[in-house]
Amino acid sequence: MTRVRVEVNGTAVEREVEPRLLLSDFLRHDLGLTGTHVGCEHGVCGACTVLLDGASARSCLMLAVQCDGLSVTTVEGLARNGELHPVQAAFREHHGLQCGFCTAGMVMAAVSLLDELPDPSERDIRLGLEGNLCRCTGYHNIVQAVLAAAGEKP
Ligand code: FES
Ligand code: FES
């Protein structure tokens, strides 16, 4: 077992974990943060996307021990004082989801994209989210939601 110290959604966490434990399993099974979904488990679908020190990363491709000393943000960490994050609110407003399986990963990828590119074009958004697969929506409303969220940013 190896000791790992990470900040998860603003809270310091310290655990003994097996060195082979995936970050996605650490979040879901050890910490109960099941908002992060696991689809393909090999880096293709993007459902497991979280932020590592603010940048998007696929938690199924990382080991928990690789995050030692880093800050992890999951979808549970986006809302503030009961208010949805602007990207979450825009997904709701613009019907950017159907079954919801991809949604946490889409939202986290969109938050990271808007952080890097605050005023993206539709093409920027489509390129920025091309690593996140959705089997339901056809992507149109997701793109509209991200455009709307960009417009609401201060
Ligand atoms: S579950 Fe991680 S990319 Fe699909
Ligand atoms: S909303 Fe169902 S997979 Fe995207």
Side-chain angles (χ1 to χ4, degrees):
M1 300 290 269
T2 303
R3 181 159 295 268
V4 63
R5 298 175 189 82
V6 288
E7 184 183 290
V8 180
N9 298 333
T11 300
V13 171
E14 189 169 340
R15 290 280 198 288
E16 294 281 335
V17 299
E18 287 196 45
R20 64 177 182 169
L21 182 69
L22 294 173
L23 175 60
S24 51
D25 289 339
F26 177 64
L27 294 170
R28 289 176 53 82
H29 302 154
D30 291 41
L31 304 184
L33 296 170
T34 54
T36 298
H37 289 171
V38 174
C40 66
E41 294 186 88
H42 60 276
V44 173
C45 73
C48 65
T49 303
V50 298
L51 304 183
L52 277 186
D53 280 353
S56 66
R58 286 162 196 251
S59 59
C60 76
L61 292 184
M62 302 221 32
L63 299 171
V65 294
Q66 290 178 286
C67 302
D68 189 49
L70 301 183
S71 160
V72 182
T73 306
T74 70
V75 71
E76 290 92 340
L78 289 183
R80 289 279 175 276
N81 303 318
E83 294 285 325
L84 292 177
H85 184 283
V87 173
Q88 292 175 302
F91 268 66
R92 183 172 68 176
E93 178 71 20
H94 294 270
H95 310 290
L97 64 144
Q98 288 183 28
C99 80
F101 195 86
C102 72
T103 308
M106 281 286 185
V107 166
M108 302 312 287
V111 168
S112 176
L113 173 69
L114 292 179
D115 194 44
E116 286 176 29
L117 206 58
D119 188 22
S121 66
E122 178 171 335
R123 178 173 161 75
D124 292 332
I125 294 169
R126 289 187 181 276
L127 287 174
L129 298 183
E130 69 180 359
N132 289 70
L133 304 182
C134 176
R135 64 185 177 180
C136 304
T137 64
Y139 301 97
H140 176 77
N141 286 3
I142 291 173
V143 173
Q144 295 307 308
V146 179
L147 278 170
E152 287 165 17
K153 280 176 91 87

